[in-house]
Amino acid sequence: MTSWLESTARERVAGLLDAGSFTEFVPPEARLTSPHLAQLNQPAAFDDGVAVGRGMLNDEPVLIAAQEGAFMGGAVGEVHGAKITGLLERALAERIPVLLLLESGGVRLHEANAGLIAVSEIMRAILALRGAGVPVIVLNGGRVGVFGGMGIATCLCDLLIMSEDARLGLSGPEVIETTMGVEEFDAADRALVWRVTGGKNRAIMGEAVLVADDIAAFRAAIRLDPVPLDVEAEHALLGARLDRFGGMEDALDIWADLGIENPARVPLLDTDAFHAAIRGKTA
Amino acid sequence: MKEWNRLGQNRAARMDRAASLARGKLVAPGDTGALLARVIEPGDRVCIEGNNQKQADFLAKALAALDPADVRDLHIVQSVLALPSHLDVFEKGVASKLDFSFSGPQAARLARLLSSGQLRIGAIHTYLELFGRYFTDLTPRVSLVCAAAADRNGNLYTGGNTEDTPVIVEATAFRRGIVIAQVNEIVDTVPRVDIPGDWVDFVVQSPKPHYIEPLFTRDPAQISEIQVLMAMMAIKGIYAEYGVKRLNHGIGFDTAAIELLLPTYAESLGMRGRIATHWALNPHPALIPAIEAGFVESVHSFGSELGMEGYIRARPDVFFTGPDGSMRSNRALSQTAGLYACDMFIGSTLQIDLAGNSSTATLGRIAGFGGAPNMGSDARGRRHGTEPWLRAGREAGQDGFRGRKLVVQMVETFREHMAPAFVDRLDAWELAEQANLDLPPVMIYGDDVTHILTEEGIANLLLCRTPEEREQAIRGVAGYTPVGLARDKRAVENLRDRGVIRRPADIGIDPKLATRDLLAAKSMKDLVRASGGLYDPPAKFRSW
């Protein structure tokens, strides 16, 4: 077993793909660094925090991008975003499925508008792939989780695979607490943060497939089949969800409402026991 | 005719004034302020039980709420100032003088109050030093202490966090002082008697359970690979080298990494039973895997740690526990063990100068010291021999027969925000001038430090024979800090040839192998699993 959480972006890529099959595009040797960070005297990375390339998964070709959470929390800058967008556009041209190994706090604030534009280009490229029936799969198991614009981008994809340690959200917990007050969301209450944004709740809400924190488990959960996109049905689903759960204070209330037994125990369950406990009781 | 019982008569007068407020020893929470106003006299020396962890918070607030017209000029003698109310008494003019040990969370405000003249500091003490003065020239007249429960006779049960309570109560009660205890609950029978009822005058049930801080919990998820490397160097280059069995660990991620490497790396070196068997240590959750692996024979603690209660109760062969099953800690006795009965102290610091003096004081903050200075000092009066102690003495080239305690300072060359850990001059000196202290608040004196361990290497100061050698040995492990860059390269290579400086390669450690995979637990959940579900971490440390 190799922990996804503990691995670096490149270790995840190497562990996920068929052995030795990864070829990196614009590798660190190319030294394509952020022009913005240099102006601000901030440390740069030779890959700008993301590795992109091509490889094989069970002898099928895939394109793959992996964000490195240890560099600026995986935040998306201009170069970083362009590497992902370029990969997605190549996937459309060659009709090859894409694996996105995301770990990101969202837009890199140092790069302001350039970062925002980069994220919106990623979203547009994902939607183009959806429209063309080329699958895009997100794997989210890093310490940072996936937030901000990358959280939105994640929700545009065909399939999301998460571990319980990972989180998915729009605004981060601290941002919600700062803007809406601690009564709205207590970012220091780690258990609450994970109940709401963590992999288990995302699985119960029907947004993600939950796997153990093991690269092999992530690999085994990958399905390279496109999921048809029906925007109206998606909106109806989200509307119904808001009607049913919108007034609730905590994920625990939602889990109880779905008929999951002993909701308070859910965070303690290992992956197999969790799947047994929620079977037939997801949103 | 000379009067020989003025303290007793004064005590009787105070007790008379308060009598109408108490039913037996019990005082209603709403009468706490009135009680304090009647038993405390202006100019009194007052001890508020402020520990590293457990806080007499309700009584501290009541004291701070007194009217300075009634009660003023108090001299506070208190080991730890942790809460805002501990400083409110000075801001409001109820108290004016302070003798203490540690003020970590309140360090910046303490510095401001001092510079605005709202308090005077007698001295910043080590714990044992302050406790010693409770029995000489700083005996409290009134003490406000804290316990988990009391019965109607005033017998106190402190639970795992006994900490300073016995010392404070003993000093006060046996010199005709007055002891007031806040407790979480009044019960018919306490689970065990930690403080006998006839040493306690008044008991107040606090409206809320006392504040307690999980100070010694470190999340293994935050341990870096540099810290793993340094832990490997410590284990192989110092613990195994000297055969250190009896020790204390300072608080922090550096030492947590060592604890988590015992069942893995130290085990692979065949060190189980040969190092780190007897500890003076708070019950660090990071020690659980080592205990489970059979490394640890005993742990005596200064205080307890939130969440460790069930685990401690289930491991009575390891921890000191009462017949009721819960831990009995005692700061004074564990400090004594650390000073006299341990062969090694290892801990982190913020600044080290060229003489090896180390300090956690930084400008604008009067933080004082925790347990480090007593345990991180050579006990010059020690008489019993052990191999590590005797070997350290031989290495120091001391004439004859005496040994030395191993005192290890473990620091990365750069701290947060790229602040260098090695400096030409400690901030402590400037702080002493600003605060008009008799001496700079140096945490560990340079002549007590035997080893400095950084990611670049281990400097064995015992083997240095001149101040110049010592300076080069320190520069030689100071990395890319200005102090490190100013090294005399030839002198440093010479010291390396003599084994005074040892790089990771010199002790057979490949930095590439220093990965988090060596940690016996990588997350809080791993610690819970290692404890067989007995460890119950506080909410701020759990994501479930």
Side-chain angles (χ1 to χ4, degrees), chain A residues 3 5-6 143 213, chain B residues 217-225 227-228 231 253 255-265 284-293 515-532 535 537 544:
Chain A
S3 165
L5 187 77
E6 292 279 336
R143 212 175 290 289
D213 175 37
Chain B
T217 302
R218 291 291 178 276
D219 184 347
Q222 294 184 43
I223 292 173
S224 70
E225 298 199 325
Q227 286 160 339
V228 171
F253 287 103
T255 44
I258 297 176
E259 289 152 22
L260 291 169
L261 250 56
L262 289 175
T264 56
Y265 183 65
H284 290 188
L287 199 61
I288 291 171
I291 293 172
E292 295 304 301
T515 69
R516 281 177 46 82
D517 284 339
L518 281 176
L519 296 170
K522 293 183 195 146
S523 65
M524 294 302 286
K525 253 185 194 162
D526 284 351
L527 289 176
V528 175
R529 277 187 214 112
S531 75
Y535 172 47
W544 65 91

Coordinates of all heavy atoms in Angstrom, one line a residue, chain A residues 3 5-6 143 213, chain B residues 217-225 227-228 231 253 255-265 284-293 515-532 535 537 544:
Chain A
S3 N 0.5 5.4 0.3 CA -0.4 6.4 0.7 C -0.4 7.5 -0.4 O 0.7 8.1 -0.7 CB 0.0 7.0 2.0 OG -0.7 8.3 2.2
L5 N -1.9 10.4 0.1 CA -1.8 11.6 0.9 C -0.3 11.9 1.1 O 0.1 13.1 1.0 CB -2.4 11.4 2.3 CG -2.5 12.6 3.2 CD1 -3.6 13.5 2.8 CD2 -2.7 12.1 4.7
E6 N 0.5 10.9 1.4 CA 1.9 11.1 1.7 C 2.8 11.3 0.5 O 3.9 11.7 0.6 CB 2.5 9.9 2.5 CG 1.9 9.8 3.9 CD 2.5 10.7 4.9 OE1 3.7 11.1 4.7 OE2 1.9 11.0 5.9
R143 N -3.4 16.5 0.9 CA -3.6 17.2 2.1 C -4.4 18.6 2.0 O -5.2 18.9 2.8 CB -2.2 17.5 2.8 CG -2.2 17.5 4.3 CD -0.8 17.7 4.8 NE 0.1 16.5 4.5 CZ -0.1 15.4 5.2 NH1 -1.0 15.2 6.1 NH2 0.7 14.3 4.9
D213 N -7.0 5.5 1.2 CA -5.8 6.3 0.9 C -4.7 5.5 0.4 O -3.7 5.2 1.1 CB -5.4 7.1 2.2 CG -4.1 7.9 1.9 OD1 -4.0 8.4 0.8 OD2 -3.3 8.0 2.8
Chain B
T217 N 0.6 17.9 22.5 CA 0.1 17.1 21.4 C 0.7 17.6 20.1 O 0.5 18.8 19.8 CB -1.4 17.0 21.3 OG1 -1.9 16.5 22.5 CG2 -1.9 16.2 20.2
R218 N 1.3 16.8 19.3 CA 1.9 17.2 18.0 C 1.3 16.3 16.9 O 1.4 15.1 17.1 CB 3.4 17.2 18.0 CG 4.1 18.2 18.8 CD 3.9 19.6 18.3 NE 4.4 20.7 19.1 CZ 3.8 21.2 20.1 NH1 2.6 20.8 20.5 NH2 4.4 22.2 20.8
D219 N 0.7 16.8 15.9 CA 0.1 16.0 14.8 C 1.2 15.5 13.9 O 1.9 16.3 13.3 CB -0.9 16.9 14.0 CG -1.6 16.1 12.9 OD1 -1.2 15.0 12.6 OD2 -2.6 16.7 12.4
P220 N 1.4 14.2 13.9 CA 2.5 13.6 13.1 C 2.4 14.0 11.6 O 3.4 14.0 10.9 CB 2.3 12.1 13.2 CG 1.5 11.9 14.4 CD 0.6 13.1 14.6
A221 N 1.2 14.4 11.1 CA 1.1 14.8 9.7 C 2.0 16.0 9.4 O 2.3 16.3 8.3 CB -0.4 15.1 9.4
Q222 N 2.3 16.8 10.5 CA 3.1 18.0 10.2 C 4.6 17.8 10.4 O 5.3 18.8 10.3 CB 2.6 19.1 11.1 CG 1.2 19.5 10.8 CD 0.7 20.7 11.7 OE1 1.5 21.6 11.9 NE2 -0.5 20.6 12.2
I223 N 5.0 16.6 10.6 CA 6.5 16.4 10.7 C 7.1 16.3 9.4 O 6.7 15.6 8.5 CB 6.7 15.1 11.5 CG1 6.3 15.3 13.0 CG2 8.2 14.7 11.5 CD1 6.3 14.0 13.8
S224 N 8.2 17.1 9.2 CA 8.9 17.2 7.9 C 10.0 16.2 7.8 O 10.4 15.6 8.8 CB 9.5 18.6 7.7 OG 10.6 18.8 8.6
E225 N 10.5 16.0 6.5 CA 11.5 15.0 6.3 C 12.8 15.5 6.9 O 13.7 14.7 7.3 CB 11.6 14.7 4.8 CG 10.3 14.0 4.5 CD 10.2 13.2 3.2 OE1 10.9 13.5 2.3 OE2 9.5 12.2 3.2
Q227 N 13.0 17.0 9.7 CA 12.9 16.6 11.1 C 13.1 15.1 11.3 O 13.7 14.7 12.3 CB 11.5 17.0 11.7 CG 11.4 18.5 11.9 CD 10.0 19.1 12.0 OE1 9.1 18.5 11.6 NE2 9.9 20.2 12.6
V228 N 12.7 14.3 10.3 CA 13.0 12.9 10.3 C 14.5 12.7 10.3 O 15.1 11.9 11.0 CB 12.3 12.2 9.2 CG1 12.8 10.7 9.1 CG2 10.8 12.2 9.3
A231 N 16.0 13.5 13.5 CA 15.7 12.5 14.5 C 16.6 11.3 14.4 O 17.1 10.7 15.3 CB 14.2 12.1 14.4
F253 N 8.0 19.5 17.4 CA 8.0 18.5 16.3 C 9.3 17.7 16.2 O 9.3 16.6 15.8 CB 7.6 19.1 15.0 CG 6.2 19.5 14.9 CD1 5.8 20.8 15.1 CD2 5.2 18.5 14.7 CE1 4.4 21.2 15.0 CE2 3.8 18.9 14.7 CZ 3.5 20.2 14.8
T255 N 11.3 16.7 18.6 CA 11.4 15.5 19.5 C 10.2 14.6 19.3 O 10.4 13.4 19.5 CB 11.3 16.1 21.0 OG1 10.3 17.1 21.1 CG2 12.6 16.6 21.4
A256 N 9.1 15.0 18.8 CA 8.0 14.1 18.4 C 8.5 13.2 17.3 O 8.2 12.0 17.3 CB 6.8 14.9 17.9
A257 N 9.3 13.7 16.4 CA 9.9 12.8 15.3 C 10.7 11.7 15.9 O 10.7 10.6 15.5 CB 10.7 13.7 14.3
I258 N 11.5 12.1 16.9 CA 12.4 11.1 17.6 C 11.5 10.0 18.2 O 11.7 8.8 18.1 CB 13.3 11.7 18.7 CG1 14.2 12.7 18.1 CG2 14.0 10.6 19.5 CD1 15.1 13.5 19.1
E259 N 10.4 10.4 18.9 CA 9.5 9.5 19.6 C 8.9 8.5 18.6 O 8.8 7.3 18.8 CB 8.5 10.2 20.4 CG 9.0 10.9 21.6 CD 8.3 12.2 22.0 OE1 7.1 12.3 21.7 OE2 8.9 13.0 22.7
L260 N 8.6 9.1 17.4 CA 7.9 8.2 16.4 C 8.9 7.4 15.6 O 8.5 6.5 14.8 CB 7.1 9.1 15.4 CG 5.9 9.8 16.1 CD1 5.3 10.8 15.2 CD2 4.9 8.7 16.4
L261 N 10.2 7.6 15.7 CA 11.2 6.8 15.1 C 11.8 5.7 16.0 O 12.5 4.8 15.5 CB 12.4 7.7 14.6 CG 12.5 7.9 13.1 CD1 11.2 8.5 12.5 CD2 13.7 8.9 12.8
L262 N 11.4 5.7 17.2 CA 11.9 4.7 18.1 C 11.5 3.3 17.7 O 12.3 2.4 17.5 CB 11.5 4.9 19.6 CG 12.2 6.1 20.3 CD1 11.6 6.4 21.7 CD2 13.7 5.9 20.4
P263 N 10.2 3.1 17.4 CA 9.8 1.7 17.0 C 10.2 1.3 15.6 O 10.1 0.1 15.3 CB 8.3 1.7 17.1 CG 7.9 3.1 17.6 CD 9.1 4.0 17.4
T264 N 10.7 2.2 14.8 CA 11.1 1.9 13.5 C 12.6 2.0 13.3 O 13.3 0.9 13.3 CB 10.4 2.9 12.5 OG1 10.8 4.2 12.8 CG2 8.9 2.7 12.5
Y265 N 13.2 3.2 13.3 CA 14.6 3.3 13.0 C 15.4 2.8 14.2 O 16.4 2.0 14.0 CB 14.9 4.8 12.8 CG 16.3 5.1 12.4 CD1 16.9 4.6 11.3 CD2 17.1 5.8 13.3 CE1 18.2 4.8 11.0 CE2 18.4 6.1 13.0 CZ 19.0 5.6 11.8 OH 20.3 5.8 11.5
H284 N 3.2 12.3 26.2 CA 3.1 12.7 24.7 C 2.3 11.7 23.9 O 2.7 10.5 24.0 CB 4.5 12.9 24.1 CG 5.3 14.0 24.6 ND1 6.5 14.4 24.1 CD2 5.0 14.9 25.6 CE1 6.9 15.4 24.7 NE2 6.1 15.8 25.6
P285 N 1.3 12.0 23.2 CA 0.6 11.0 22.3 C 1.6 10.4 21.4 O 1.5 9.2 21.0 CB -0.4 11.9 21.6 CG -0.8 13.0 22.5 CD 0.5 13.3 23.2
A286 N 2.7 11.2 21.0 CA 3.6 10.6 20.0 C 4.5 9.5 20.6 O 5.2 8.8 19.8 CB 4.6 11.8 19.5
L287 N 4.4 9.3 21.9 CA 5.2 8.2 22.5 C 4.4 6.9 22.5 O 5.0 5.9 22.7 CB 5.5 8.6 24.0 CG 6.7 7.8 24.6 CD1 8.0 8.0 23.9 CD2 6.8 8.2 26.1
I288 N 3.1 7.0 22.1 CA 2.3 5.7 22.1 C 2.9 4.6 21.3 O 3.1 3.5 21.8 CB 0.9 6.0 21.6 CG1 0.1 6.9 22.7 CG2 0.1 4.7 21.4 CD1 -1.2 7.4 22.2
P289 N 3.3 4.8 20.1 CA 3.9 3.7 19.3 C 5.1 3.1 20.0 O 5.3 1.8 20.0 CB 4.3 4.3 17.9 CG 3.3 5.4 17.8 CD 3.2 6.0 19.2
A290 N 6.0 3.9 20.6 CA 7.2 3.4 21.3 C 6.8 2.6 22.5 O 7.4 1.6 22.8 CB 8.1 4.6 21.7
I291 N 5.8 3.0 23.2 CA 5.3 2.3 24.4 C 4.8 0.9 23.9 O 5.1 -0.1 24.5 CB 4.2 3.1 25.1 CG1 4.8 4.4 25.8 CG2 3.6 2.2 26.2 CD1 3.8 5.3 26.3
E292 N 4.0 1.0 22.9 CA 3.4 -0.3 22.4 C 4.4 -1.2 21.9 O 4.3 -2.5 22.0 CB 2.3 0.0 21.3 CG 1.1 0.8 21.8 CD 0.4 0.1 23.0 OE1 0.0 -1.0 22.8 OE2 0.3 0.7 24.1
A293 N 5.5 -0.7 21.4 CA 6.6 -1.5 20.8 C 7.5 -2.1 22.0 O 8.5 -2.8 21.7 CB 7.4 -0.8 19.8
T515 N 12.8 9.7 5.2 CA 11.5 10.0 4.6 C 10.4 9.7 5.7 O 10.7 9.1 6.8 CB 11.1 9.0 3.5 OG1 10.9 7.7 4.0 CG2 12.2 9.0 2.4
R516 N 9.3 10.3 5.5 CA 8.2 10.2 6.5 C 7.7 8.7 6.6 O 7.1 8.4 7.6 CB 7.0 11.0 6.1 CG 7.2 12.5 6.4 CD 6.1 13.4 5.9 NE 4.8 12.9 6.2 CZ 4.1 13.0 7.4 NH1 4.7 13.6 8.4 NH2 3.0 12.4 7.6
D517 N 8.1 7.8 5.7 CA 7.8 6.4 5.8 C 8.4 5.8 7.1 O 7.9 4.8 7.6 CB 8.3 5.6 4.6 CG 7.4 5.9 3.4 OD1 6.3 6.3 3.6 OD2 7.9 5.7 2.3
L518 N 9.4 6.5 7.7 CA 10.0 6.0 8.9 C 9.2 6.3 10.2 O 9.4 5.7 11.2 CB 11.4 6.6 9.1 CG 12.5 6.0 8.3 CD1 13.8 6.8 8.5 CD2 12.8 4.5 8.7
L519 N 8.2 7.2 10.0 CA 7.4 7.5 11.2 C 6.5 6.4 11.6 O 5.7 5.9 10.7 CB 6.6 8.8 10.9 CG 7.4 10.1 10.7 CD1 6.5 11.2 10.2 CD2 8.1 10.5 12.0
A520 N 6.5 6.0 12.9 CA 5.6 4.9 13.3 C 4.1 5.3 13.2 O 3.2 4.5 13.2 CB 6.0 4.5 14.7
A521 N 3.8 6.6 13.2 CA 2.5 7.1 13.0 C 2.6 8.4 12.1 O 3.5 9.2 12.4 CB 1.8 7.5 14.3
K522 N 1.8 8.5 11.1 CA 1.9 9.7 10.2 C 0.7 10.6 10.4 O 0.7 11.6 9.7 CB 1.9 9.2 8.7 CG 3.2 8.4 8.4 CD 3.2 8.1 6.9 CE 4.3 7.0 6.7 NZ 3.9 6.1 5.6
S523 N -0.2 10.2 11.2 CA -1.4 11.1 11.4 C -1.9 10.9 12.8 O -1.5 9.9 13.5 CB -2.5 10.7 10.4 OG -2.9 9.4 10.6
M524 N -2.9 11.7 13.2 CA -3.5 11.5 14.5 C -4.3 10.2 14.5 O -4.3 9.5 15.6 CB -4.5 12.7 14.8 CG -3.8 14.0 15.0 SD -2.6 14.1 16.3 CE -3.7 14.1 17.7
K525 N -4.9 9.8 13.4 CA -5.6 8.6 13.4 C -4.7 7.4 13.6 O -5.1 6.4 14.3 CB -6.3 8.4 12.0 CG -7.8 8.6 12.1 CD -8.5 8.3 10.8 CE -9.9 8.9 10.9 NZ -10.6 9.1 9.6
D526 N -3.5 7.5 13.1 CA -2.5 6.4 13.3 C -2.2 6.3 14.8 O -2.0 5.2 15.3 CB -1.2 6.7 12.5 CG -1.3 6.4 11.0 OD1 -2.3 5.9 10.6 OD2 -0.4 6.8 10.3
L527 N -2.1 7.4 15.5 CA -1.9 7.4 16.9 C -3.0 6.7 17.7 O -2.8 5.9 18.6 CB -1.6 8.8 17.5 CG -0.3 9.5 17.1 CD1 -0.3 10.9 17.6 CD2 0.9 8.7 17.6
V528 N -4.2 7.0 17.2 CA -5.4 6.4 17.9 C -5.4 4.9 17.6 O -5.6 4.1 18.5 CB -6.7 7.0 17.3 CG1 -7.9 6.3 17.9 CG2 -6.8 8.5 17.7
R529 N -5.1 4.5 16.4 CA -5.0 3.1 16.0 C -3.9 2.4 16.9 O -4.1 1.3 17.4 CB -4.7 2.9 14.6 CG -5.9 3.0 13.7 CD -5.6 2.6 12.2 NE -6.4 3.4 11.4 CZ -5.9 4.4 10.6 NH1 -4.6 4.7 10.5 NH2 -6.8 5.1 9.8
A530 N -2.7 3.1 17.0 CA -1.6 2.5 17.7 C -2.0 2.2 19.2 O -1.5 1.3 19.8 CB -0.4 3.4 17.6
S531 N -2.9 3.1 19.7 CA -3.3 3.0 21.1 C -4.4 2.0 21.3 O -4.9 1.8 22.4 CB -3.7 4.3 21.6 OG -5.0 4.6 21.1
G532 N -4.8 1.3 20.2 CA -5.9 0.4 20.3 C -7.2 1.1 20.6 O -8.1 0.6 21.3
Y535 N -6.6 6.2 23.0 CA -6.3 7.6 22.9 C -7.4 8.3 22.2 O -7.9 7.9 21.2 CB -5.0 7.8 22.1 CG -4.6 9.3 21.8 CD1 -4.7 10.3 22.8 CD2 -4.2 9.7 20.6 CE1 -4.4 11.6 22.6 CE2 -3.9 11.0 20.3 CZ -4.0 12.0 21.3 OH -3.7 13.3 21.0
P537 N -8.1 12.0 21.0 CA -7.6 13.3 20.9 C -8.6 14.4 20.9 O -9.8 14.2 20.6 CB -6.9 13.2 19.5 CG -7.3 12.0 18.8 CD -8.0 11.1 19.8
W544 N -12.2 13.9 12.4 CA -13.3 13.0 12.3 C -14.2 13.2 13.5 O -13.9 13.9 14.4 CB -12.8 11.6 12.2 CG -12.1 11.1 13.4 CD1 -12.6 10.5 14.5 CD2 -10.7 11.2 13.7 NE1 -11.7 10.2 15.4 CE2 -10.5 10.6 15.0 CE3 -9.6 11.8 13.0 CZ2 -9.2 10.6 15.6 CZ3 -8.4 11.7 13.7 CH2 -8.2 11.2 14.9

